[in-house]
Amino acid sequence: VPYNNTGTLVIPDGVQHIPSRVLYGMRYEKIVVPASVTRISDRAFARALSKEIVFEEAPAGVEEKTLELTEGVFMDMSNLTELTLPARIGLLDFEGTNLVSSNRNLLKINIVGRPTPEQKANKEYYTSNNGVVCNYDGTELVFVPKYIKGTYTIPAAIQVIGEKAFTGCWELEGVVIKDNVKKIKSEAFSRCLALTSVEFDYNGGSLEIESKAFYECTNLYSIELPKQLQYLGSYAFGYTPKLTTVTINGSSNAILE
């Protein structure tokens, strides 16, 4: 692909594979990916200057095909502020694959379209809620873009904050967790280095906090846990050197590890 081309790149229908680094650093403002594509290899779009990537849906009556995304496909795309992915990507490891790493301006990831019939039957696909990635029915928050800023309020539909969902959100300063949340999984907020405020707004329900949920939140000074806390896992606040006060608001029967 010519390096200095700009404008819109429409990948021809019928293409099934976008090879590794084929669009690395390209200057296209917009890239359109047809429904025929079933694999995008390592760093295919990395460092591209595109502001928008569009994934086309299969025509009505035609089944979607699984789209495999590998290591670092969208990493370091400095002009990308919002990324919309098709549901046919199925389940993947956002954190482990560095899929969108080093995208300092990426603040929203949306999931749209239809999963494949097999993904739908097995409930192995994602949805989204105002720019964050959720499980198939929207009750578990799975992944948050790493450069969200300020204070984030967990959406009302969320019951579970997933493992490593916020890991490494360097500029997250505060989080508000309301009583719709029943569980905070392991390492959910680990290495949120700017996090100074965690507010639990609970009037009922119950809460479990798994191991290392707030591990290495090095600027967290104090935290007040709700009386609805039922379980606190080991090292939930491990390696938080500035944390001097942990209190429980009212009496609690929480199991502490």
Side-chain angles (χ1 to χ4, degrees):
V1 180
Y3 180 77
N4 288 315
N5 281 10
T6 58
T8 299
L9 171 65
V10 179
I11 297 171
D13 189 25
V15 170
Q16 298 180 20
H17 178 213
I18 300 176
S20 176
R21 296 176 179 259
V22 69
L23 294 170
Y24 188 95
M26 294 297 173
R27 301 175 184 273
Y28 291 103
E29 293 180 2
K30 180 178 179 180
I31 299 171
V32 180
V33 181
S36 59
V37 172
T38 56
R39 178 181 170 88
I40 304 178
S41 291
D42 296 0
R43 306 192 182 196
F45 299 104
R47 295 197 173 184
L49 300 181
S50 307
K51 297 178 180 178
E52 183 179 9
I53 300 175
V54 176
F55 289 88
E56 294 183 327
E57 292 187 42
V62 178
E63 291 184 356
E64 295 282 5
K65 298 178 181 178
T66 299
L67 173 59
E68 181 185 1
L69 303 176
T70 61
E71 175 77 22
V73 169
F74 307 105
M75 71 183 302
D76 203 11
M77 296 183 67
S78 59
N79 289 334
L80 203 61
T81 59
E82 188 168 347
L83 177 63
T84 299
L85 297 171
R88 66 188 182 99
I89 62 173
L91 303 185
L92 49 81
D93 183 357
F94 279 89
E95 184 72 19
T97 60
N98 295 310
L99 189 71
V100 292
S101 67
S102 302
N103 287 348
R104 297 193 65 89
N105 295 311
L106 180 64
L107 299 179
K108 287 188 174 184
I109 299 176
N110 307 308
I111 308 292
V112 299
R114 297 170 288 153
T116 69
E118 183 178 1
Q119 289 166 349
K120 186 173 182 179
N122 294 328
K123 301 177 180 178
E124 294 179 343
Y125 62 96
Y126 296 124
T127 59
S128 59
N129 186 328
N130 195 27
V132 299
V133 180
C134 304
N135 68 335
Y136 74 97
D137 66 357
T139 59
E140 180 171 346
L141 196 160
V142 175
F143 184 80
V144 176
K146 296 305 176 190
Y147 291 96
I148 60 169
K149 300 172 176 65
T151 297
Y152 182 82
T153 299
I154 304 298
I158 300 299
Q159 298 179 22
V160 178
I161 301 175
E163 184 174 331
K164 297 185 178 180
F166 287 83
T167 291
C169 286
W170 320 115
E171 299 181 52
L172 179 69
E173 297 175 356
V175 61
V176 178
I177 303 171
K178 299 187 178 183
D179 56 17
N180 49 284
V181 174
K182 312 302 181 188
K183 179 181 288 189
I184 301 174
K185 288 189 175 181
S186 178
E187 299 185 62
F189 293 94
S190 63
R191 291 187 287 114
C192 290
L193 303 184
L195 188 66
T196 58
S197 172
V198 179
E199 178 184 344
F200 291 96
D201 184 5
Y202 277 66
N203 295 309
S206 63
L207 174 64
E208 297 180 9
I209 301 177
E210 293 187 348
S211 63
K212 297 186 177 180
F214 294 89
Y215 191 84
E216 205 174 344
C217 291
T218 53
N219 276 299
L220 197 58
Y221 285 84
S222 65
I223 191 163
E224 184 174 319
L225 299 170
K227 65 181 180 181
Q228 290 83 1
L229 181 68
Q230 300 294 308
Y231 173 78
L232 184 65
S234 59
Y235 300 101
F237 300 98
Y239 195 65
T240 50
K242 295 179 182 178
L243 183 64
T244 56
T245 306
V246 178
T247 58
I248 296 180
N249 182 13
S251 61
S252 170
N253 296 318
I255 298 173
L256 309 180
E257 286 193 357

